[in-house]
Amino acid sequence: MKAAFVTLGCKLNYAETSTYERGFVKAGLEPVPWREKADLYLVNTCTVTERANAKSRSEIRKLHRINPAAVIVVTGCYAQMKPEEVAALEGVSRVFLSSEKALVVPESLKLLGIQAPGPDALPRVFGAYSSGERTRSFLKVQDGCDNFCRYCTVPYARGRSRSIPICEAVRQAEEIAGKGIREIVLTGVNTGDFGRTNGESFLDLLKALNEVEGIERYRISSIEPNLITEAAVDWIASGTKFQPHFHIPLQAGSDELLEKMGRKYTTAFFADRIDYIRRAMEGPGKPKVFFGIDVMAGLPGETDALFEEGYRFLETLSPAFLHVFPYSKRPGTPAATMPGQVPERVKTERVARLEGLCAELHARFVEANRGIKERVLWESREKDGSMSGYTGNYIRISRPYDPALAGRITDVTI
């Protein structure tokens, strides 16, 4: 039997889909591209915007047309938020809620007539990691969120904050290393919240993972600024496998909007965290720290003046990259009914300006690293006959293809 997989949304979804796929392969199913006729289709959905919901529905309908007799199972955030709506789509055989992720493989196999044992009990967190890339894996160590920011549905779609035990994270990292993968990106909805609900700490997780043989580099994804401790920064800077690369959500560069949206920090605090990391990790001859910052355009109440204030704040911060999103009204959230909703046309204009700023900031970041010695993890061959890879601070470097370098880390001068 053949199985195909469609994933929408974040890296957490990709890590989970990879884990489902490994389970189906272990049961004897052959993975095929989703455009091919398969006996089972799994769709891992996203609900971050209404457009994401529509995309999920479109993909499900497309798969049903490819093979009307196929079993189609659906999981992910859209499935959690609108299970009846998803279940009513033609061709859908089963919808799995967020609490049922450990059942996806065994229950789907049963729909194919294959008996498979399920878990003795549903785990609080479905552990997962991606395995589709040769050089890098996304390891999910945390899920859910307790922040309930006023624009966000994540606590409803993914539940409250919870983490896998450190021993399980280490076991999965060792499994990843056994596949020849050299780099792990730690992922979670709110990665820095790791361990709060089970008596462990984020720093203890980092220290334990640092000892895993075979993994040469780690990156930290999606960590809230108020959860970046000086102790963790100092330890990373002391000479560890953790790279000078951080993905930190800002969402708005205005204190008025941050407070209105229920964020737990000010712009001054955010700037201080960035400055502390730079002072701890940068220096003469050292690479500059890569900061990727999430920012929304068009939050309710974002006047022209507040947008300009945020734009100037981002210019001052001078991160390496901006992940720019237009605000999308999510039914059931406080922000959806707030006054001062920004017209879509204005959101589009603001997104374009921020993306233009991103291009300027990234070019400036690359130039600031010119002449610095760094290490590149080389990936596979590109279509044009070259190969590329990323430095520790996430600058993409290209060179002529050399098969002996694929999957290896070498020194370069940027």
Side-chain angles (χ1 to χ4, degrees):
M1 288 187 172
K2 297 179 179 180
F5 308 90
V6 174
T7 307
L8 299 100
C10 63
K11 296 300 184 183
L12 285 181
N13 275 8
Y14 281 89
E16 289 166 355
T17 299
S18 285
T19 303
Y20 299 141
E21 182 174 343
R22 290 193 298 273
F24 287 119
V25 169
K26 186 176 180 180
L29 274 67
E30 175 191 353
V32 297
W34 67 264
R35 290 182 176 85
E36 293 187 17
K37 191 173 182 179
D39 302 284
L40 170 77
Y41 295 107
L42 181 143
V43 184
N44 200 347
T45 62
C46 175
T47 191
V48 69
T49 64
E50 180 52 44
R51 184 177 297 178
N53 290 353
K55 177 70 171 173
S56 297
R57 293 192 296 270
S58 173
E59 293 298 314
I60 292 167
R61 293 183 179 115
K62 196 180 300 178
L63 298 174
H64 182 59
R65 289 195 296 271
I66 293 172
N67 184 9
V71 168
I72 298 177
V73 297
V74 186
T75 185
C77 292
Y78 177 41
Q80 171 68 25
M81 296 298 288
K82 298 288 184 73
E84 296 87 0
E85 186 172 295
V86 174
L89 295 172
E90 190 174 3
V92 172
S93 304
R94 173 73 190 266
V95 175
F96 291 94
L97 302 179
S98 293
S99 61
E100 300 175 312
K101 290 176 181 178
L103 297 176
V104 168
V105 172
E107 293 298 316
S108 297
L109 289 171
K110 288 177 184 177
L111 294 173
L112 294 172
I114 302 171
Q115 290 304 309
D120 295 330
L122 292 179
R124 291 184 68 247
V125 187
F126 177 69
Y129 65 85
S130 66
S131 52
E133 295 185 66
R134 181 175 176 177
T135 55
R136 182 179 301 111
S137 178
F138 293 87
L139 172 60
K140 172 186 165 185
V141 297
Q142 183 273 343
D143 203 347
C145 186
D146 293 343
N147 287 343
F148 289 91
C149 298
R150 296 188 178 106
Y151 53 80
C152 186
T153 60
V154 165
Y156 311 103
R158 283 194 166 266
R160 304 301 291 266
S161 179
R162 58 212 188 276
S163 313
I164 63 174
I166 289 176
C167 61
E168 177 64 11
V170 169
R171 185 194 68 75
Q172 292 195 15
E174 290 172 342
E175 200 172 296
I176 292 167
K179 298 178 184 294
I181 295 170
R182 293 290 166 257
E183 179 176 297
I184 287 177
V185 183
L186 301 185
T187 62
V189 171
N190 189 1
T191 313
D193 204 35
F194 177 91
R196 185 174 56 81
T197 57
N198 58 5
E200 296 180 328
S201 79
F202 185 57
L203 180 53
D204 286 341
L205 169 71
L206 304 188
K207 290 179 176 179
L209 290 172
N210 199 61
E211 300 301 316
V212 174
E213 293 184 9
I215 300 300
E216 298 184 50
R217 306 204 303 194
Y218 289 95
R219 302 182 190 275
I220 299 172
S221 174
S222 193
I223 181 168
E224 294 284 318
N226 53 304
L227 296 177
I228 302 173
T229 66
E230 294 181 0
V233 172
D234 292 344
W235 177 80
I236 291 170
S238 69
T240 69
K241 296 177 182 178
F242 285 81
Q243 303 301 299
H245 177 191
F246 294 86
H247 174 193
I248 309 175
L250 170 64
Q251 310 304 15
S254 151
D255 288 340
E256 181 178 328
L257 287 175
L258 289 174
E259 182 179 6
K260 190 174 183 179
M261 293 300 127
R263 302 295 285 170
K264 300 183 183 300
Y265 51 84
T266 63
T267 53
F269 180 89
F270 193 97
D272 180 72
R273 290 295 86 181
I274 299 294
D275 183 59
Y276 188 91
I277 294 170
R278 282 180 169 143
R279 284 187 283 111
M281 302 184 72
E282 295 182 353
K286 289 186 176 182
K288 306 297 182 184
V289 178
F290 182 106
F291 292 102
I293 292 179
D294 291 347
V295 60
M296 285 191 186
L299 284 164
E302 186 184 66
T303 61
D304 289 343
L306 289 179
F307 173 77
E308 294 298 336
E309 179 184 331
Y311 188 96
R312 290 192 299 273
F313 178 68
L314 290 166
E315 282 185 309
T316 303
L317 282 180
S318 195
F321 190 81
L322 300 177
H323 300 259
V324 183
F325 307 89
Y327 166 70
S328 177
K329 187 186 296 186
R330 310 309 295 136
T333 60
T337 56
M338 284 181 179
Q341 298 290 328
V342 178
E344 294 300 319
R345 173 187 56 80
V346 176
K347 291 181 194 175
T348 301
E349 291 170 356
R350 291 176 182 174
V351 165
R353 281 195 62 196
L354 289 169
E355 288 178 341
L357 176 61
C358 174
E360 293 175 18
L361 292 171
H362 190 260
R364 191 186 306 168
F365 175 75
V366 172
E367 191 59 36
N369 281 276
R370 192 81 62 187
I372 298 291
K373 289 185 178 180
E374 249 285 19
R375 307 196 75 206
V376 174
L377 174 56
W378 297 104
E379 301 178 5
S380 56
R381 188 170 190 160
E382 303 286 347
K383 291 180 180 179
D384 63 0
S386 67
M387 69 189 308
S388 64
Y390 286 92
T391 62
N393 64 341
Y394 213 62
I395 294 175
R396 187 176 181 181
I397 306 290
S398 295
R399 55 152 293 145
Y401 179 66
D402 181 350
L405 290 180
R408 289 183 55 200
I409 297 177
T410 65
D411 294 329
V412 301
T413 298
I414 299 173

